[in-house]
Amino acid sequence: STGGKRRQQNRNRSTQPQEGSMGLGVADYNNSDQKTACRRHELYVSFRELGWQDWIIAPEGYAANYCDGECSFPLNAHMNATNHAIVQTLVHLMNPENVPKPCCAPTKLHAISVLYFDDNSNVILKKYKNMVVRACGCH
Amino acid sequence: GSNYSLDGNNEVHPGFIQRRLRTHAKREMQREILSILGLPHRPRPHLSHGKFNSAPLFMLDLYNTISSDEKSQVQSMLDGYQSMLTTQSSPLATYQETAFLNDADMVMSFVNLVEYDSELFPQQRHHKEFKFNLSQIPKGEAVTAAEFRLYKECVSHTFHNDTFLLKVYQVVKEHSDREADLFLLESRRLWAAEEGWLEFDITATSNLWLLSPVHNLGLQVSMETSSGQSISVKEAGLVGRDGALEKQPFMVAFFRISEVYIRTAR
């Protein structure tokens, strides 16, 4: 039962000084977290740079972007305080020991196709799903 | 994310920091990318006939069709329709291939391994044999479509307005002392003046060869004039091994990948 704990938490919260909620406005959040906010980082892998142009016909390379950065409240447009509290509670009910921590991960992925020779000089055109990160977000 | 144009001149986005990888880092990156591509090692093809003969050219055309389709989906359906039309008009990837592409995860082209004229038995009718090594197709995959592609040149200077009857057979059983047992896959009437790629659907045959490689005895092609006289496929304008590189016969197979390749996160 989480009742006791929740009462305990409420009691704790009520004793804390209120400057927490008065403190950082949205702008401050952004300023303080600006440098490490969850976002897409671009990285281009060039097959030519890897010395593979003898067996990879196309493409020349691909954007191997990745997601990195801190997820801080408000997580994103959908997660207002109410939704966040609901999610927090649901996760807590499922697994009280876990402190849910939003993670920065892809929210939109695209495929690429690679055209290459195999050892027998046959030509292979293969579609690789979820290769290029188009957008990141907090899960 | 596509910071490089898909139409071939892949200049890298100026925003990228160009960094030369040192040897160790380069080897690490190579191992990482090979694992993403699901390849045990980097292939070492023997490109004796140069990099772009008929099969790679055809596959590059398919690749560009996919890429232009992807771009057209981002731009507008109209463009997509336009790219389909241009695909149809291009001599290689026809509308049919584009349709196959939509539900294929993988396409493989196979060069013709063996080919000889029917000089063994003079009284035998002219024919040409073609064989393909499908052993590189991942085990358990089913071919959703397969085509045998032959290039025919115009021979109206020799046969004027004559027509030919072209027949494609699957070789069912070979005999040392007589002709092989054959199964007719398709027959097609052609004008002597016709020029371009001929496509023959060999989906069922390819799946049989995949299921039981011992039955992979190849194909036979024969040609007759309208008066029923057997002529060599070369006289009839079909390009064989001694023809132009970009017109070599080959086979292409489209298939879905059943196994989902999950790469361990690093």
Side-chain angles (χ1 to χ4, degrees), chain A residues 23-36:
Chain A
L24 293 170
V26 174
D28 307 29
Y29 264 105
N30 287 340
N31 293 341
S32 66
D33 297 344
Q34 187 62 40
K35 59 185 179 314
T36 63

PDB file of all heavy atoms in Angstrom, chain A residues 23-36:
ATOM      1  N   GLY A  23      10.806  28.936  -7.288  1.00  0.00           N
ATOM      2  CA  GLY A  23      12.174  29.196  -7.771  1.00  0.00           C
ATOM      3  C   GLY A  23      12.229  29.321  -9.275  1.00  0.00           C
ATOM      4  O   GLY A  23      11.787  30.268  -9.895  1.00  0.00           O
ATOM      5  N   LEU A  24      12.664  28.232  -9.936  1.00  0.00           N
ATOM      6  CA  LEU A  24      12.986  28.296 -11.364  1.00  0.00           C
ATOM      7  C   LEU A  24      11.736  28.440 -12.197  1.00  0.00           C
ATOM      8  O   LEU A  24      10.821  27.633 -12.100  1.00  0.00           O
ATOM      9  CB  LEU A  24      13.694  26.987 -11.761  1.00  0.00           C
ATOM     10  CG  LEU A  24      15.097  26.803 -11.125  1.00  0.00           C
ATOM     11  CD1 LEU A  24      15.595  25.390 -11.389  1.00  0.00           C
ATOM     12  CD2 LEU A  24      16.053  27.826 -11.699  1.00  0.00           C
ATOM     13  N   GLY A  25      11.671  29.500 -13.033  1.00  0.00           N
ATOM     14  CA  GLY A  25      10.595  29.605 -14.016  1.00  0.00           C
ATOM     15  C   GLY A  25      11.012  28.740 -15.206  1.00  0.00           C
ATOM     16  O   GLY A  25      12.105  28.170 -15.237  1.00  0.00           O
ATOM     17  N   VAL A  26      10.102  28.628 -16.234  1.00  0.00           N
ATOM     18  CA  VAL A  26      10.435  27.782 -17.396  1.00  0.00           C
ATOM     19  C   VAL A  26      11.747  28.257 -18.000  1.00  0.00           C
ATOM     20  O   VAL A  26      12.649  27.481 -18.270  1.00  0.00           O
ATOM     21  CB  VAL A  26       9.304  27.882 -18.453  1.00  0.00           C
ATOM     22  CG1 VAL A  26       9.719  27.125 -19.718  1.00  0.00           C
ATOM     23  CG2 VAL A  26       8.019  27.297 -17.884  1.00  0.00           C
ATOM     24  N   ALA A  27      11.873  29.582 -18.129  1.00  0.00           N
ATOM     25  CA  ALA A  27      13.097  30.103 -18.779  1.00  0.00           C
ATOM     26  C   ALA A  27      14.305  29.614 -18.006  1.00  0.00           C
ATOM     27  O   ALA A  27      15.254  29.065 -18.574  1.00  0.00           O
ATOM     28  CB  ALA A  27      13.050  31.622 -18.781  1.00  0.00           C
ATOM     29  N   ASP A  28      14.214  29.692 -16.659  1.00  0.00           N
ATOM     30  CA  ASP A  28      15.389  29.290 -15.861  1.00  0.00           C
ATOM     31  C   ASP A  28      15.691  27.817 -16.111  1.00  0.00           C
ATOM     32  O   ASP A  28      16.811  27.388 -16.268  1.00  0.00           O
ATOM     33  CB  ASP A  28      15.082  29.490 -14.360  1.00  0.00           C
ATOM     34  CG  ASP A  28      14.603  30.915 -14.094  1.00  0.00           C
ATOM     35  OD1 ASP A  28      14.004  31.475 -15.038  1.00  0.00           O
ATOM     36  OD2 ASP A  28      14.836  31.427 -13.016  1.00  0.00           O
ATOM     37  N   TYR A  29      14.541  26.996 -16.153  1.00  0.00           N
ATOM     38  CA  TYR A  29      14.791  25.568 -16.427  1.00  0.00           C
ATOM     39  C   TYR A  29      15.652  25.460 -17.678  1.00  0.00           C
ATOM     40  O   TYR A  29      16.683  24.830 -17.736  1.00  0.00           O
ATOM     41  CB  TYR A  29      13.459  24.852 -16.697  1.00  0.00           C
ATOM     42  CG  TYR A  29      12.887  24.185 -15.486  1.00  0.00           C
ATOM     43  CD1 TYR A  29      11.806  24.723 -14.804  1.00  0.00           C
ATOM     44  CD2 TYR A  29      13.465  23.008 -15.001  1.00  0.00           C
ATOM     45  CE1 TYR A  29      11.279  24.100 -13.700  1.00  0.00           C
ATOM     46  CE2 TYR A  29      12.943  22.370 -13.875  1.00  0.00           C
ATOM     47  CZ  TYR A  29      11.860  22.941 -13.228  1.00  0.00           C
ATOM     48  OH  TYR A  29      11.338  22.343 -12.129  1.00  0.00           O
ATOM     49  N   ASN A  30      15.130  26.198 -18.736  1.00  0.00           N
ATOM     50  CA  ASN A  30      15.862  26.033 -19.991  1.00  0.00           C
ATOM     51  C   ASN A  30      17.313  26.465 -19.818  1.00  0.00           C
ATOM     52  O   ASN A  30      18.219  25.769 -20.212  1.00  0.00           O
ATOM     53  CB  ASN A  30      15.183  26.875 -21.085  1.00  0.00           C
ATOM     54  CG  ASN A  30      13.861  26.172 -21.465  1.00  0.00           C
ATOM     55  OD1 ASN A  30      13.732  24.988 -21.200  1.00  0.00           O
ATOM     56  ND2 ASN A  30      12.928  26.894 -22.033  1.00  0.00           N
ATOM     57  N   ASN A  31      17.500  27.655 -19.181  1.00  0.00           N
ATOM     58  CA  ASN A  31      18.895  28.124 -19.084  1.00  0.00           C
ATOM     59  C   ASN A  31      19.746  27.095 -18.344  1.00  0.00           C
ATOM     60  O   ASN A  31      20.794  26.683 -18.797  1.00  0.00           O
ATOM     61  CB  ASN A  31      18.931  29.474 -18.319  1.00  0.00           C
ATOM     62  CG  ASN A  31      18.245  30.532 -19.188  1.00  0.00           C
ATOM     63  OD1 ASN A  31      18.127  30.297 -20.390  1.00  0.00           O
ATOM     64  ND2 ASN A  31      17.759  31.597 -18.607  1.00  0.00           N
ATOM     65  N   SER A  32      19.202  26.619 -17.210  1.00  0.00           N
ATOM     66  CA  SER A  32      20.086  25.749 -16.388  1.00  0.00           C
ATOM     67  C   SER A  32      20.349  24.433 -17.135  1.00  0.00           C
ATOM     68  O   SER A  32      21.421  23.878 -17.095  1.00  0.00           O
ATOM     69  CB  SER A  32      19.386  25.428 -15.061  1.00  0.00           C
ATOM     70  OG  SER A  32      18.238  24.634 -15.362  1.00  0.00           O
ATOM     71  N   ASP A  33      19.343  23.929 -17.884  1.00  0.00           N
ATOM     72  CA  ASP A  33      19.565  22.616 -18.527  1.00  0.00           C
ATOM     73  C   ASP A  33      19.933  22.756 -19.979  1.00  0.00           C
ATOM     74  O   ASP A  33      20.111  21.770 -20.683  1.00  0.00           O
ATOM     75  CB  ASP A  33      18.278  21.780 -18.426  1.00  0.00           C
ATOM     76  CG  ASP A  33      17.964  21.514 -16.956  1.00  0.00           C
ATOM     77  OD1 ASP A  33      18.886  21.715 -16.162  1.00  0.00           O
ATOM     78  OD2 ASP A  33      16.828  21.149 -16.647  1.00  0.00           O
ATOM     79  N   GLN A  34      20.035  24.032 -20.487  1.00  0.00           N
ATOM     80  CA  GLN A  34      20.178  24.202 -21.927  1.00  0.00           C
ATOM     81  C   GLN A  34      21.263  23.299 -22.474  1.00  0.00           C
ATOM     82  O   GLN A  34      21.123  22.589 -23.425  1.00  0.00           O
ATOM     83  CB  GLN A  34      20.548  25.678 -22.200  1.00  0.00           C
ATOM     84  CG  GLN A  34      20.555  26.030 -23.675  1.00  0.00           C
ATOM     85  CD  GLN A  34      19.174  25.857 -24.294  1.00  0.00           C
ATOM     86  OE1 GLN A  34      18.192  26.195 -23.656  1.00  0.00           O
ATOM     87  NE2 GLN A  34      19.108  25.293 -25.481  1.00  0.00           N
ATOM     88  N   LYS A  35      22.438  23.282 -21.801  1.00  0.00           N
ATOM     89  CA  LYS A  35      23.596  22.642 -22.431  1.00  0.00           C
ATOM     90  C   LYS A  35      23.409  21.146 -22.534  1.00  0.00           C
ATOM     91  O   LYS A  35      23.917  20.493 -23.407  1.00  0.00           O
ATOM     92  CB  LYS A  35      24.876  22.974 -21.637  1.00  0.00           C
ATOM     93  CG  LYS A  35      24.848  22.537 -20.176  1.00  0.00           C
ATOM     94  CD  LYS A  35      26.077  23.004 -19.433  1.00  0.00           C
ATOM     95  CE  LYS A  35      26.036  22.579 -17.981  1.00  0.00           C
ATOM     96  NZ  LYS A  35      24.704  22.837 -17.350  1.00  0.00           N
ATOM     97  N   THR A  36      22.639  20.510 -21.639  1.00  0.00           N
ATOM     98  CA  THR A  36      22.577  19.043 -21.699  1.00  0.00           C
ATOM     99  C   THR A  36      21.163  18.555 -21.985  1.00  0.00           C
ATOM    100  O   THR A  36      20.875  17.398 -21.805  1.00  0.00           O
ATOM    101  CB  THR A  36      22.990  18.447 -20.338  1.00  0.00           C
ATOM    102  OG1 THR A  36      21.994  18.933 -19.394  1.00  0.00           O
ATOM    103  CG2 THR A  36      24.366  18.855 -19.921  1.00  0.00           C
TER     104      THR A  36
END
